[in-house]
Amino acid sequence: MPARLPSLIAEPAAGTQRLWLTGGRLFDGTGAPVREASGVLVQDGRVLAVGRASDGVPDGAAVIDLSGRFLLPGLIDAHAHVKVQRPTPDPGAEPLWPGADAHFLAADLRETLRRGVTTVRDVGSYGDLVFEARQAMRYGAFRGPRLLSCGRIVSATAPGGKFFEGMYREADGSDDVRRAVREQLRRGADFIKVMTTGARSVELEDPDPAQLTPSEITTLVQEAHRQGYRVAAHAEGIDGTEIAIEEGIDTIEHGMYLNQRPDLLERMAATGQVLVPTLSCFYGVAGLEHQVGVEVGDDVQAAAGPPGQPPAPTWSPMLVELAHHNLEQADLTLRAARAAGVRIAVGHDWHPFWNTAIEIRRMIAHGLTAAEALVSATSVSAYALGLDAYVGTVTEGKRADLLVLDDDPLTRPASLGRRENVWLVIQHGAPVAGCALERDVVAPG
């Protein structure tokens, strides 16, 4: 990963205080068992040492007592759309000013960090607000997560371009595709994203045929990799997914039909390519977004909500029906990928984009253990982003992006969705968010 990666250049300054985090139950993100009564020394924004509370307080360190609490790496979302969620003014109220969008986005980024998500990979958003927000964070306007962006998604000329104007860079032919890659790097992209298939959220797009030709995809991958950047593939139908895997694309986004091709899963496991299952997008389009998990199969249609109160689908009937089918396929693929040894990363792919925790809980509901899902949300997601040398585990030399929870997510995964469970968030060695830093100034009556 190039040192010039914009997301790393834009990082906040490292914390200046030497910290001793003592007594917590440590889940280090590597898959190793939890360490009881741990001691973690943080200095100059990095983890300097990992030991035990009984080692004693290092010289000059300020003590943060984590007794009874759970310490793990900051969460990483490998597939988010960092888009503005605007409020709808009441009839007769003042219309929203165009410049308000930046403030709404900043609020959601602050909330993302408050929830313990310290790194986010934006895989497509409208316009340039993500670049503007990242620059604002670089110069101290507000604190938010480390933010990677693909710039514009590279796509063939296709129906999706009408629905996602300002998100796509349509390109046809190898020369135009190469130029599109270079344009995104010029804009400040951290990686390249390509539509190897159509999108299940557009009626006019059939995800079965590949959207780009093999030669176009080869050119895109070669150009990005030549310059040291990773590639993410929107991959739904098998044809485009197969080309993406064969051409060495680093992360396969969605990939819900891969259960039908065990040979492709075996190839991904052998090459280290990462699957980002994005279960939440299927829940959302299917009208199941308020469900954490559902039984897939014949009963999935009946799982839309409490009896008598099914949520009203907001998508066309065709797309809702397809989403139910895709959820069934995604469930089978997640289980097959796990069995095949494929690396699996976490990507929420729904809104609000700060709610990464619900994707982790859904991955558990669909076959991962709680420990596996947390590894997916930390070290595997860091590997997917090419940042595993920097973040993703609580190990010596890594950046001190850390999360402290009041409750144990291994035995009570539902606690991941509770904001009040986030006791402390440490970003680049500095305590920046969490209940520990919030005090009620009003005395109880």
Side-chain angles (χ1 to χ4, degrees):
M1 184 62 63
R4 63 184 179 276
L5 203 67
S7 59
L8 296 178
I9 294 172
E11 283 188 325
T16 58
Q17 195 170 22
R18 184 174 165 97
L19 303 175
W20 176 241
L21 311 178
T22 180
R25 304 184 65 229
L26 173 62
F27 181 88
D28 66 10
T30 67
V34 171
R35 303 189 201 184
E36 304 291 339
S38 66
V40 176
L41 179 62
V42 173
Q43 181 175 315
D44 298 327
R46 300 179 183 272
V47 175
L48 189 62
V50 179
R52 300 186 58 80
S54 58
D55 295 339
V57 181
D59 292 343
V63 176
I64 300 180
D65 186 1
L66 303 186
S67 299
R69 295 188 170 92
F70 197 90
L71 174 63
L72 69 160
L75 303 178
I76 299 171
D77 194 323
H79 188 116
H81 291 281
V82 182
K83 302 184 297 184
V84 176
Q85 296 294 313
R86 300 177 183 87
T88 301
D90 293 333
E94 181 184 31
L96 295 178
W97 288 85
D101 280 357
H103 299 280
F104 294 129
L105 184 62
D108 279 343
L109 287 167
R110 286 194 295 267
E111 183 64 16
T112 302
L113 187 62
R114 174 59 178 79
R115 299 269 178 165
V117 182
T118 53
T119 301
V120 172
R121 182 175 68 160
D122 169 54
V123 294
S125 54
Y126 297 101
D128 297 323
L129 273 179
V130 167
F131 291 124
E132 293 169 7
R134 183 167 67 192
Q135 188 175 75
M137 288 189 288
R138 175 182 183 178
Y139 293 108
F142 65 96
R143 296 293 291 236
R146 181 179 298 102
L147 188 54
L148 287 76
S149 177
C150 67
R152 303 285 192 270
I153 303 170
V154 180
S155 165
T157 299
K162 295 191 294 185
F163 291 86
F164 305 114
E165 187 175 353
M167 185 182 289
Y168 283 9
R169 175 14 174 126
E170 293 179 318
D172 300 301
S174 294
D175 286 343
D176 199 19
V177 165
R178 182 180 292 108
R179 182 176 181 85
V181 169
R182 293 174 177 175
E183 286 174 357
Q184 305 325 303
L185 300 182
R186 181 188 184 209
R187 295 171 66 82
D190 300 271
F191 67 102
I192 299 300
K193 184 183 177 186
V194 58
M195 298 291 293
T196 61
T197 72
R200 79 276 171 206
S201 56
V202 177
E203 283 184 334
L204 295 175
E205 288 199 342
D206 183 352
D208 284 336
Q211 194 182 80
L212 292 165
T213 66
S215 62
E216 288 172 326
I217 295 174
T218 297
T219 297
L220 180 141
V221 175
Q222 288 179 348
E223 184 63 23
H225 284 177
R226 182 181 71 82
Q227 299 203 48
Y229 291 86
R230 296 172 72 82
V231 181
H234 173 102
E236 297 190 11
I238 285 294
D239 288 351
T241 303
E242 181 175 13
I243 296 171
I245 293 170
E246 289 180 345
E247 293 300 329
I249 288 182
D250 303 285
T251 66
I252 304 301
E253 315 295 313
H254 317 300
M256 59 276 198
Y257 301 134
L258 278 167
N259 67 86
Q260 303 170 17
R261 291 288 303 274
D263 59 310
L264 294 180
L265 289 173
E266 291 173 3
R267 180 165 181 161
M268 288 182 68
T271 59
Q273 291 164 294
V274 181
L275 175 66
V276 190
T278 66
L279 298 171
S280 293
C281 67
F282 308 126
Y283 274 81
V285 177
L288 303 171
E289 58 188 302
H290 299 297
Q291 301 287 341
V292 173
V294 298
E295 294 293 330
V296 298
D298 293 338
D299 295 329
V300 70
Q301 296 282 355
Q309 298 181 355
T314 58
W315 298 77
S316 76
M318 174 196 297
L319 296 178
V320 171
E321 181 180 0
L322 177 61
H324 283 292
H325 173 68
N326 285 342
L327 180 55
E328 295 174 5
Q329 293 298 303
D331 173 84
L332 294 173
T333 291
L334 181 59
R335 297 175 191 275
R338 176 179 182 265
V342 175
R343 300 186 196 217
I344 300 168
V346 167
H348 179 217
D349 193 24
W350 201 245
H351 50 79
F353 62 78
W354 46 256
N355 196 11
T356 307
I358 198 167
E359 179 69 16
I360 299 171
R361 294 168 63 191
R362 284 173 174 152
M363 293 172 77
I364 296 169
H366 288 272
L368 298 191
T369 68
E372 288 169 343
L374 286 178
V375 168
S376 293
T378 53
S379 61
V380 179
S381 286
Y383 171 82
L385 274 55
L387 295 180
D388 47 313
Y390 302 93
V391 295
T393 60
V394 186
T395 49
E396 293 179 9
K398 295 285 183 73
R399 281 164 170 72
D401 284 1
L402 307 171
L403 172 60
V404 182
L405 301 174
D406 275 326
D407 212 345
D408 181 349
L410 295 178
T411 57
R412 290 174 291 278
S415 66
L416 281 168
R418 293 192 290 109
R419 190 178 193 268
E420 63 273 17
N421 184 42
V422 178
W423 189 75
L424 185 64
V425 180
I426 295 176
Q427 182 188 45
H428 209 182
V432 294
C435 295
L437 304 181
E438 300 165 356
R439 295 290 182 266
D440 188 353
V441 297
V442 179

